[in-house]
Amino acid sequence: MIDYLSNNSDVVLAALRQHVPLAFLPLLIGVVLALPVGYLGVRFGWLYHPLLNASGIVYSIPSLALFVTLPYVLGTRILSPVNIVVALSLYTLALMARTVADGLRSVDASLTEAATAMGYRRTRRLLEVELPLALPVVLAGVRVAAVSNISLVSVGALIGVGGLGALFTRGFQLFYPAPILVGVILSVLLAAVTDLVIVSIQRAVTPWSRASARRA
Amino acid sequence: MGDDTPYLLDGTHWSGPTGIPHLLLAHLGYTGVALLCGIAIALPVGLYIGHTGRGSFLAINAGNAGRSLPTLGLLMLMVTLMGLGFLPVLIALTVLVIPPILTTTYAGLRNVDRSAVDAAVGMGMRPWQVLWRVEVPMALPVMLGGLRSAALQVVATATVAASVGLSGLGRLLIDGLSVNDYGRVVAGAVVVAVLAIVLDLGLGLVQRYVVSPGVSGRGLRRRGARASAERLDPDLL
C-alpha cells in the first residue's frame, strides 16, 4: 500500500481533489435550499407530514439509480459531474429539510412567545431566536449529510465521475487491493475530519448547549 | 437496438435468467440474507449495550463510522481480497447493516422513560423481563426506524453489487451502461427506485401496526397527546 501511494501520489491527489468539491458543493446547495423548505414545513403545519414523506421517498432512491437517471431529466451528458452534484444536493435537501423542520419545532414555545412579547416580528424572531436555538439539531443533520455525501460520491465512479471512487474501480479492474484500500482510508479520513470540523463549529456557535450534551 | 418499445414493456425482458423477475428475486435475496446476518450480529449487541449502558461509546459512534465507509470501496476491496462470489459481497453488505441496527437499538433503549423501567423493576420483574416487556416494546418505533434505514441501504448497495459480477437489478444499470443501452439503464433505475420506495413504505406500515398503541398514540382520541414528543430520527443517529 505504501509502495502504491509513493508511486501514484499524483493519481491519488487528483482523485482527492476531484472528490472534495463533488461532496461539498451539494452539501452547500442542499442546506441553503433546505432552510426555506424546512421553515415552510413549520410555518404551515399541514405541510409537515407531506414534507416528511417526500423526504423519505427521495432519501430511499438508491444513489446509482439516481445518478444514471438524472442525465435524461436534466439533459446533461452521462459523464457530467453535474449529475452527481444534483443527485447529492437532492439527498442533502431531503435530509436537511426535515431536520430544519424538526429543529425549529424543537424550540421551546415559551421562548418564541417571550420574543413576540418583547416586540420581535416574525422574520427577526426567526433569524435571531428560533434559528439559533434550532442549530444543534440542524447541525447534527449537516454532520450526517456531509459524511454521507463524502461516501456517496465514490459510487459515481461506476458512471465515470467519482473522485476517490476512481481508485476503487481501477483497483478492481487490476484486481489489486492497494488503490482500493487507499481510497477507502482517504474517504473515511475526509469524512472524519469534516465531522470534527462541523462539531467544532457547532460548539463555537452554540455555547449554551455545551453543558448538556444533547446527542444520546 | 433500433426498436422503439420501452424496455419495461417488452415481454422478452420479463423472462429468463436476465429477465426482470429473476433479477428482482436475486436482488431481494441478497438484501434479505444480508439483513438477517446484520441483525443477528447487531441486535444482541445493541440490546446488551442499551440495557446495561456498557460500551455505549461503540454504539454512539457506529452510526457515523458506518455512514463514512464508502460502499463501493468496501465491496470492491472485499472482492479483490477474497475473489469473486457471493461471500465477499455478503460481508460488505452485512457490514453496512450493522451500524443502523446497533445505534437505533441502543438509542431506542436508552430513550425509554427511566421511570417506566424503575416501575418494572419495582414490580419485581427480572432484567430479562424488563428488557422484553418494557424496554423493547417502548423502543420499537426507533428500532424499526433503524431496520428501515438498514434495509434501504442494503437495497441500494445490492444495486452496486452488479459491478462486481453479481446478479440483481444493478445488472440492468451496469450492463445497460456498458453497451450504451440507455433504455435498459432507465428501466433498471426505475425498477430499483420503485422497489426501494415500496420497501420503505411497507416497512413504514409494519412499523405502524407492530408498535403498541400505548407507545405510538395510535387510536388516541385526544389530539396532540403525543404531538409534543420529540421525534428521534433514525437517519440522524
Side-chain angles (χ1 to χ4, degrees), chain A residues 48 52 56-66 68-69 72 78 95 98-99 102 105-106 137 140-145 147-148 150-152 154-159 165 168-169 171-172 174-178 180-181 183-184 187-188 191-192 195 214-216, chain B residues 60-61 64-84 106-107 110-111 148 152 155-157 159-160 163-165 170 173-174 177 181-183 185-186 188-190 192-194 196-197 200-201 227 230-231 233 235-237:
Chain A
Y48 179 70
L52 283 192
I57 287 175
V58 173
Y59 213 60
S60 64
I61 300 173
S63 50
L64 185 58
L66 197 53
V68 297
T69 320
Y72 302 93
I78 187 114
L95 180 72
R98 68 175 180 213
T99 317
D102 284 343
R105 279 161 65 105
S106 75
V137 180
V142 174
R143 286 175 67 184
V144 170
V147 171
S148 350
I150 289 170
S151 82
L152 277 179
S154 54
V155 175
L158 293 178
I159 55 167
F168 304 157
T169 42
F172 179 67
L174 303 171
F175 236 77
Y176 177 44
I180 307 183
L181 200 58
V184 170
S187 184
V188 170
D195 197 32
R214 277 185 54 94
R215 277 175 65 85
Chain B
I60 292 168
N61 291 297
N64 242 359
R67 256 189 300 272
S68 74
L69 267 182
T71 303
L72 182 68
L74 188 63
L75 206 60
M76 290 185 161
L77 185 64
M78 283 298 160
V79 172
T80 48
L81 290 176
M82 301 175 62
L84 290 168
Y106 164 79
R110 283 282 109 182
N111 215 39
R148 247 169 117 171
L152 284 181
V155 162
T157 311
T159 314
V160 177
S163 67
V164 293
L173 302 178
I174 302 287
L177 280 176
D181 178 359
Y182 293 130
V185 174
V186 172
V190 168
V192 169
V194 169
I197 291 167
D200 190 44
L201 294 178
E230 235 180 274
R231 224 166 54 84
D233 193 331
D235 285 334
L236 292 184
L237 291 171

Side-chain angles (χ1 to χ4, degrees), chain B residues 208-234:
Chain B
R208 209 166 150 173
Y209 287 103
V210 166
V211 172
S212 154
V215 174
S216 67
R218 169 165 44 92
L220 282 185
R221 278 290 152 143
R222 281 175 301 127
R223 278 175 75 220
R226 302 278 312 173
S228 60
E230 235 180 274
R231 224 166 54 84
L232 200 54
D233 193 331

Side-chain angles (χ1 to χ4, degrees), chain A residues 98-182:
Chain A
R98 68 175 180 213
T99 317
V100 170
D102 284 343
L104 289 174
R105 279 161 65 105
S106 75
V107 174
D108 191 341
S110 59
L111 293 172
T112 47
E113 281 162 19
T116 311
M118 283 170 67
Y120 278 55
R121 303 211 178 239
R122 199 192 297 281
T123 313
R124 191 164 160 234
R125 190 183 70 201
L126 175 70
L127 294 178
E128 294 181 18
V129 179
E130 291 170 302
L131 207 52
L133 287 171
L135 270 181
V137 180
V138 172
L139 286 172
V142 174
R143 286 175 67 184
V144 170
V147 171
S148 350
N149 275 0
I150 289 170
S151 82
L152 277 179
V153 168
S154 54
V155 175
L158 293 178
I159 55 167
V161 194
L164 292 169
L167 300 178
F168 304 157
T169 42
R170 179 174 317 210
F172 179 67
Q173 279 153 7
L174 303 171
F175 236 77
Y176 177 44
I180 307 183
L181 200 58
V182 169

Side-chain angles (χ1 to χ4, degrees), chain B residues 85-171:
Chain B
F86 180 54
L87 188 64
V89 175
L90 177 62
I91 294 176
L93 292 181
T94 303
V95 167
L96 293 172
V97 174
I98 293 173
I101 302 280
L102 182 60
T103 46
T104 52
T105 305
Y106 164 79
L109 289 190
R110 283 282 109 182
N111 215 39
V112 170
D113 190 348
R114 280 298 106 187
S115 56
V117 176
D118 288 343
V121 174
M123 282 167 66
M125 282 195 186
R126 313 234 158 237
W128 198 248
Q129 292 174 310
V130 173
L131 179 66
W132 288 109
R133 294 201 194 162
V134 179
E135 289 181 313
V136 170
M138 292 180 82
L140 211 52
V142 184
M143 290 169 65
L144 289 172
L147 178 66
R148 247 169 117 171
S149 30
L152 284 181
Q153 173 114 37
V154 177
V155 162
T157 311
T159 314
V160 177
S163 67
V164 293
L166 251 65
S167 177
L169 291 168
R171 284 258 65 88

